[in-house]
Amino acid sequence: MAENTEKVIDTQTNETQTYDESQIQVMEGLEAVRKRPGMYIGSTSVRGLCHLVYEIVDNAIDEALAGYCKNIYVTIEKGNIVTVEDDGRGIPTGIHPKMGISTLEVVYTILHAGGKFGGSGYKISGGLHGVGASVVNALSDWLTVEVYNGREIHFQSYKYGKPDAPVAVTGTTDKHGTKCRFHADPGIFETTEYEYETLLQRMREQAFLTAGVRIVFTDERGDEPVVNEMHYEGGIKDFVRYINEKRTNEVLHDTIYLSAKTGDSLAEVALQYSASYNELILSFANNIHTVDGGMHEQGFKQALTKVINDYARKYKFIKEADPNLMGEDVREGLTAVISVKLPEPQFEGQTKTKLGNSEMRSAVDALISDKLAAYLEENPAIARTIMDKSMTAQRAREAAKRARDLTRRKSLLASASLPGKLADCQERDPELTEIYIVEGDSAGGSAKDGRERRFQAILPLWGKMLNVEKARVDKIYENDKLQPVILALGTGIGAEFDITKLRYGKVIIMADADVDGSHIRTLLLTFFYRYMRPLVEQGHVYLAQAPLYKITKGKSEYYANNDEELEKLLAEVGQDCKIFRYKGLGEMNPEQLWETTMNPKNRTILKVNLEDAVLADQIFNVLMGDKVEPRREFIEANAKYVENLDV
Ligand code: 28F
């Protein structure tokens, strides 16, 4: 027997198989992925399921970034079968020099080094063809791939990542490209049902980041196919325009687009100010969203602040003796997309979404320092608008500082450094504590009585609070509804926010399932998103789910959170029982509130996670912004997702 071979009894066929080295490597790779899929795609929830599509589409995008592919067709067929096809060069099918098998088979069966989700994962960065394909293959119960090289069609199929047969020529063609079809393994994933909207956001983002590529995304699962074609010649300039079109505030000038090549790296920035008070800066490296920022984003921020201060002083917008504009002043109302492409990106941090390459800080800094300064010189009217906006922001920040100091002095004077309404818990370790922010005094009262005071704090909120989407930071501190929340959580807000000062591990919003409750939830979430964003990003914010129905049969009591659960319960309990529909939290006595909504053993709380920064920004801005029309459209478009809306 050749060296490095292994006798293995194949349990399905009971045959003795002899595997050579590469096949053993394949088997070990498949086994590693199927044993711990979370290491490779983050989770086996619907988010992990979507990652399968992202990996294959990323490979087609890489072919577009290399300049060979113009069109990418993504389709979800009936049965949640995914097809991705591009018109690139086609994966090479020649025998791989090292592995002795077709390169196509190598791409789809050999795990590559490097780790995106830590450990022995695989994909470190975009720009490396096909590194994710073998993972998708391992996690699919079946997958087929076709390569068109302008002459023949090369084909291979797999079951659970294992080739059914060697790569074969199955026909002739004059087209070129790669086509992959796969079905996620139901034995691995909690669900194999794709969310079209989630995937659509990502396809759109990739189209913006790859100027000129055309992505056609089709959902064939319904009676009528749903098709979205995305094609943006303007790239990230169109991305910024798209984001600001979806927001309700008017823009102050046309989008500014700047780019520069340094060596074999490319840095691009698109930016546009609007009348909003918020900033939205998205940064990408090789089309990967660097959620935690990094060197490119640092370079952008430091250069922007310097360029605007230099211009403001040069043209006497700020006098010699006046203090400099701060970073948050020059970024108020700014929407910006930073996109860098480089051969050897270093991704750092827990989720590998922070760019570590220090050369990119100077590259983006130089781009902004040279080209934005020149742009302002050539466009004095736009420059003036940006100066005015930054200076107004500076005055507001200073007013906020005065308001905050005043608040602090007042609260210190009142010596109640925590809001009077807060019923605090005994435990001090934030890892073990949670705070319920409860709508209404009556529910607040029952929650105080019903809670487990060792680790549960209660902060009742009464009436509507400030809509922060339309308010400036100085108004936030003065607001008597938000102030108790700020003081109770202890972190401060905005640029001052410090997550290490958070006093509770879980911040649970408890409000009725009716329209008022939804409004309170949205107001609080808008506040957290705009002024305490890491609180949401790090998964501290939850929504309590109070039951809608109580079913009693004899002595036993059951609860259902929605109509679906009620149906299931009635099927189990039988029809001869009493059904009580709760109108609000206030109708529950402390014991019921504890049992159904607060007892960690059987309550339901939903963790709020911001999947997509652009989407979250749109939702808060449209829902809470000052234009009614876009809000009505948004609510109508999303009404189908809303259950039991009391109107
Ligand atoms: C179905 C999704 O996967 N498209 C792809 C290519 C093209 C090349 C390639 C891919 C192994 C490691 C080199 C062709 N000719 N769409 C796709 N298109 N992979 S994946 O090469 C992978 C080789 O690196 C390709 C010349 N160079 C590269």
Side-chain angles (χ1 to χ4, degrees), residues 56 59-60 63 84 86 89-92 103 107 129 178 180:
I56 301 297
N59 295 338
E63 188 63 356
V84 181
D86 71 40
R89 294 166 291 185
I91 299 176
T103 299
V107 168
H129 273 116
T178 306
C180 173

Side-chain angles (χ1 to χ4, degrees), residues 79-205:
N80 284 291
I81 294 164
V82 174
T83 296
V84 181
E85 177 171 1
D86 71 40
D87 58 1
R89 294 166 291 185
I91 299 176
T93 53
I95 295 303
H96 191 278
K98 260 195 356 219
M99 308 301 286
I101 53 174
S102 163
T103 299
L104 174 58
E105 185 169 338
V106 170
V107 168
Y108 270 84
T109 58
I110 304 285
L111 217 50
H112 287 68
K116 177 168 183 175
F117 290 101
S120 63
Y122 61 100
K123 182 169 189 170
I124 304 174
S125 67
L128 292 175
H129 273 116
V131 287
S134 53
V135 170
V136 176
N137 199 4
L139 300 176
S140 299
D141 49 1
W142 63 266
L143 183 145
T144 63
V145 60
E146 290 193 334
V147 166
Y148 315 106
N149 60 14
R151 294 182 307 283
E152 307 104 1
I153 300 172
H154 292 249
F155 172 87
Q156 190 164 35
S157 64
Y158 315 84
K159 299 284 181 300
Y160 302 100
K162 268 175 68 180
D164 295 326
V167 175
V169 174
T170 55
T172 59
T173 177
D174 53 8
K175 69 180 189 177
H176 47 86
T178 306
K179 177 177 181 183
C180 173
R181 281 187 86 226
F182 68 90
H183 180 256
D185 178 358
I188 295 250
F189 291 92
E190 290 158 25
T191 169
T192 55
E193 182 82 25
Y194 290 98
E195 290 170 350
Y196 185 78
E197 286 303 318
T198 307
L199 294 169
L200 181 63
Q201 282 285 343
R202 170 74 172 235
M203 301 301 141
R204 182 178 292 113
E205 177 193 276

Side-chain angles (χ1 to χ4, degrees), residues 64-359:
L65 288 171
Y68 295 98
C69 149
K70 279 274 163 282
N71 299 289
I72 300 173
Y73 305 94
V74 185
T75 304
I76 309 177
E77 300 171 13
K78 290 193 188 318
N80 284 291
I81 294 164
V82 174
T83 296
V84 181
E85 177 171 1
D86 71 40
D87 58 1
R89 294 166 291 185
I91 299 176
T93 53
I95 295 303
H96 191 278
K98 260 195 356 219
M99 308 301 286
I101 53 174
S102 163
T103 299
L104 174 58
E105 185 169 338
V106 170
V107 168
Y108 270 84
T109 58
I110 304 285
L111 217 50
H112 287 68
K116 177 168 183 175
F117 290 101
S120 63
Y122 61 100
K123 182 169 189 170
I124 304 174
S125 67
L128 292 175
H129 273 116
V131 287
S134 53
V135 170
V136 176
N137 199 4
L139 300 176
S140 299
D141 49 1
W142 63 266
L143 183 145
T144 63
V145 60
E146 290 193 334
V147 166
Y148 315 106
N149 60 14
R151 294 182 307 283
E152 307 104 1
I153 300 172
H154 292 249
F155 172 87
Q156 190 164 35
S157 64
Y158 315 84
K159 299 284 181 300
Y160 302 100
K162 268 175 68 180
D164 295 326
V167 175
V169 174
T170 55
T172 59
T173 177
D174 53 8
K175 69 180 189 177
H176 47 86
T178 306
K179 177 177 181 183
C180 173
R181 281 187 86 226
F182 68 90
H183 180 256
D185 178 358
I188 295 250
F189 291 92
E190 290 158 25
T191 169
T192 55
E193 182 82 25
Y194 290 98
E195 290 170 350
Y196 185 78
E197 286 303 318
T198 307
L199 294 169
L200 181 63
Q201 282 285 343
R202 170 74 172 235
M203 301 301 141
R204 182 178 292 113
E205 177 193 276
Q206 291 304 310
F208 280 128
L209 292 165
T210 319
V213 76
R214 187 166 147 269
I215 300 179
V216 181
F217 183 33
T218 307
D219 187 351
E220 295 179 341
R221 294 172 294 179
D223 301 339
E224 289 304 312
V226 174
V227 188
N228 273 280
E229 179 172 324
M230 289 150 284
H231 173 216
Y232 304 105
E233 284 303 343
I236 60 170
K237 183 171 185 171
D238 291 343
F239 197 172
V240 167
R241 199 170 285 142
Y242 168 81
I243 291 169
N244 279 342
E245 269 163 16
K246 290 278 179 184
R247 294 169 71 133
T248 57
N249 319 89
E250 66 280 1
V251 294
L252 305 182
H253 59 89
D254 192 14
T255 312
I256 299 171
Y257 172 77
L258 309 165
S259 72
K261 264 187 87 59
T262 38
D264 40 14
S265 302
L266 170 68
E268 296 176 283
V269 170
L271 60 101
Q272 183 176 46
Y273 284 89
S274 71
S276 150
Y277 300 141
N278 306 306
E279 68 178 79
L280 179 69
I281 297 176
L282 300 174
S283 61
F284 298 84
N286 291 7
N287 282 30
I288 290 171
H289 184 190
T290 39
V291 176
D292 296 333
M295 293 298 173
H296 50 345
E297 204 169 302
Q298 280 174 30
F300 171 75
K301 288 182 174 177
Q302 65 194 36
L304 179 73
T305 305
K306 188 171 179 324
V307 162
I308 291 186
N309 272 298
D310 290 352
Y311 189 93
R313 288 197 184 279
K314 179 176 177 185
Y315 294 97
K316 306 276 180 275
F317 285 93
I318 40 181
K319 292 188 238 5
E320 204 56 42
D322 286 355
N324 258 353
L325 297 162
M326 305 274 286
E328 60 192 277
D329 303 332
V330 302
R331 293 195 302 267
E332 186 189 272
L334 172 66
T335 300
V337 172
I338 306 157
S339 173
V340 295
K341 286 165 182 149
L342 61 161
E344 304 286 336
Q346 260 83 44
F347 290 99
E348 296 172 353
Q350 178 61 27
T351 52
K352 294 276 180 272
T353 53
K354 182 171 188 171
L355 185 67
N357 302 66
S358 53
E359 73 274 15

